């Protein structure tokens, strides 16, 4: 077995132990995965939940809103998916669609986008103060690596279900997505719900380091202290200077 596989297996075991504790303690844990197309959200989530309790773990990937949902308070359709006691909920994309793809593709108005950026820190503060532990991950990928992965989707029949109409413009609108990412990170990074950045050009390395970060943030000391800290060149806390010093893809 390769070392990477050994690392993943050990981290998965630590995640199982963490969840045993979280269920017993009645914790409510919410992990938000955001990032560019092909940044590896699906693969990382798959490894995280592989051995966790089906009853206590939910992965939520909502489709685009229907006509009725478009008339609701923006956060309304997400609220029903928030964790109850003993639950881990992972959002594979989230309410941050409004600050990313909706902005770039014009699926919402500038006023709606501004309202979201104003309101989301307050919404997340309310969740945090109610006892929900929030982890927000931005998965960053280089333009070249994204291009290779998008091309692979079109030639690998096993990846056919990953193909999206938005794939065609991911590279074309790269700079627009960068600008949307930058504003989102700056305006929604808070003490209660901070952003953590993950470099994902190397998928296996990214997955292992995401697991380490989750364990360090969510697990009790007797579990977290036995886990190596994530590699700071792969996983690091967001700060505004990262937008200009090369730590985030331009």
């Amino acid at each position: 077995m390769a070392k990477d596989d050994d690392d993943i297996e050990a981290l998965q075991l630590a995640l199982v132990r963490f969840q045993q504790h979280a269920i017993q303690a009645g914790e409510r844990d919410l992990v938000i995965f955001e990032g560019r197309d092909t940044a590896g959200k699906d693969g990382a989530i798959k490894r995280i939940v592989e051995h966790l309790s089906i009853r206590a773990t939910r992965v939520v990937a909502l489709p685009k809103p229907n006509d009725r949902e478009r008339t609701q308070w923006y956060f309304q359709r997400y609220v029903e998916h928030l964790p109850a006691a003993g639950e881990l909920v992972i959002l594979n994309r989230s309410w941050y669609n409004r600050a990313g793809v909706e902005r770039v593709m014009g699926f919402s108005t500038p006023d709606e986008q501004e309202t979201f950026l104003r309101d989301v820190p307050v919404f997340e503060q309310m969740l945090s103060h109610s006892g929900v532990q929030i982890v927000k991950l931005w998965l960053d990928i280089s333009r070249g690596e994204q291009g290779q992965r998008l091309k692979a989707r079109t030639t690998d029949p096993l990846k056919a279900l990953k193909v999206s109409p938005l794939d065609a413009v991911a590279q074309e609108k790269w700079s627009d997505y960068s600008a949307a990412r930058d504003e989102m990170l700056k305006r929604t990074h808070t003490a209660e719900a901070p952003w953590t950045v993950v470099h994902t050009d190397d998928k296996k390395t990214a997955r292992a380091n995401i697991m380490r970060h989750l364990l360090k943030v969510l697990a009790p000391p007797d579990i977290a202290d036995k886990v190596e800290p994530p590699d700071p060149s792969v996983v690091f806390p967001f700060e505004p200077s990262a937008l200009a010093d090369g730590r985030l893809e331009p």
Side-chain angles (χ1 to χ4, degrees):
M1 184 181 288
K3 182 182 183 301
D4 285 337
D5 295 328
D6 285 338
D7 289 344
I8 292 292
E9 186 173 299
L11 290 165
Q12 287 175 328
L13 178 57
L15 284 168
V16 169
R17 291 172 176 161
F18 148 68
Q19 190 169 54
Q20 289 173 322
H21 161 82
I23 292 170
Q24 188 172 32
E27 291 182 1
R28 291 178 288 154
D29 298 312
L30 177 67
V31 180
I32 294 173
F33 273 81
E34 289 290 340
R36 296 183 190 265
D37 287 335
T38 77
K41 295 179 289 296
D42 292 349
I45 292 169
K46 181 179 179 182
R47 298 307 183 279
I48 290 166
V49 304
E50 189 170 5
H51 299 291
L52 298 184
S53 164
I54 294 175
R55 290 189 296 275
T57 310
R58 286 185 287 119
V59 177
V60 179
L62 296 184
K64 66 180 182 180
N66 59 35
D67 290 343
R68 180 175 182 275
E69 289 169 335
R70 289 190 188 97
T71 70
Q72 295 175 343
W73 176 50
Y74 178 69
F75 296 101
Q76 188 167 334
R77 72 188 190 122
Y78 292 99
V79 168
E80 65 178 292
H81 298 286
L82 293 173
E87 291 184 346
L88 167 66
V89 171
I90 298 176
L91 296 183
N92 186 351
R93 294 200 183 275
S94 65
W95 40 78
Y96 283 102
N97 276 339
R98 177 136 294 178
V101 65
E102 288 192 19
R103 168 176 163 166
V104 173
M105 300 303 296
F107 295 156
S108 56
T109 68
D111 283 347
E112 288 172 329
Q113 296 153 23
E114 178 60 30
T115 297
F116 169 79
L117 289 170
R118 181 195 68 207
D119 290 352
V120 70
V122 179
F123 175 64
E124 292 175 348
Q125 184 182 64
M126 291 170 63
L127 295 180
S128 177
H129 288 179
S130 77
V132 177
Q133 298 189 96
I134 304 172
V135 180
K136 299 192 306 193
L137 301 172
W138 173 264
L139 275 57
D140 214 43
I141 186 172
S142 68
R143 189 170 189 172
E145 180 64 19
Q146 185 193 63
Q148 292 179 27
R149 293 184 190 179
L150 288 170
K151 184 176 180 181
R153 285 183 179 180
T154 66
T155 57
D156 185 346
L158 291 176
K159 296 181 179 179
L161 294 174
K162 288 181 173 286
V163 176
S164 160
L166 298 177
D167 290 355
V169 296
Q171 294 261 290
E172 176 187 333
K173 294 184 177 291
W174 178 271
S175 296
D176 294 332
Y177 275 110
S178 293
R181 174 204 63 194
D182 293 355
E183 183 172 11
M184 180 193 79
L185 293 176
K186 285 188 293 185
R187 295 184 60 180
T188 65
H189 178 71
T190 65
E192 292 84 2
W195 281 103
T196 296
V197 178
V198 185
H199 289 304
T200 64
D201 276 20
D202 184 322
K203 289 182 180 181
K204 285 190 174 182
T205 298
R207 291 167 186 167
N209 279 277
I210 288 170
M211 290 182 188
R212 292 189 182 103
H213 175 68
L214 293 179
L215 288 162
K216 288 294 188 183
V217 173
L218 296 175
D222 62 310
I223 296 173
D225 290 349
K226 296 175 183 176
V227 175
E228 284 185 36
D231 182 340
S233 69
V234 179
V235 175
F236 62 91
F238 170 74
E239 52 187 355
S241 60
L243 300 175
D245 64 13
R247 283 180 287 167
L248 278 158
E249 290 292 327

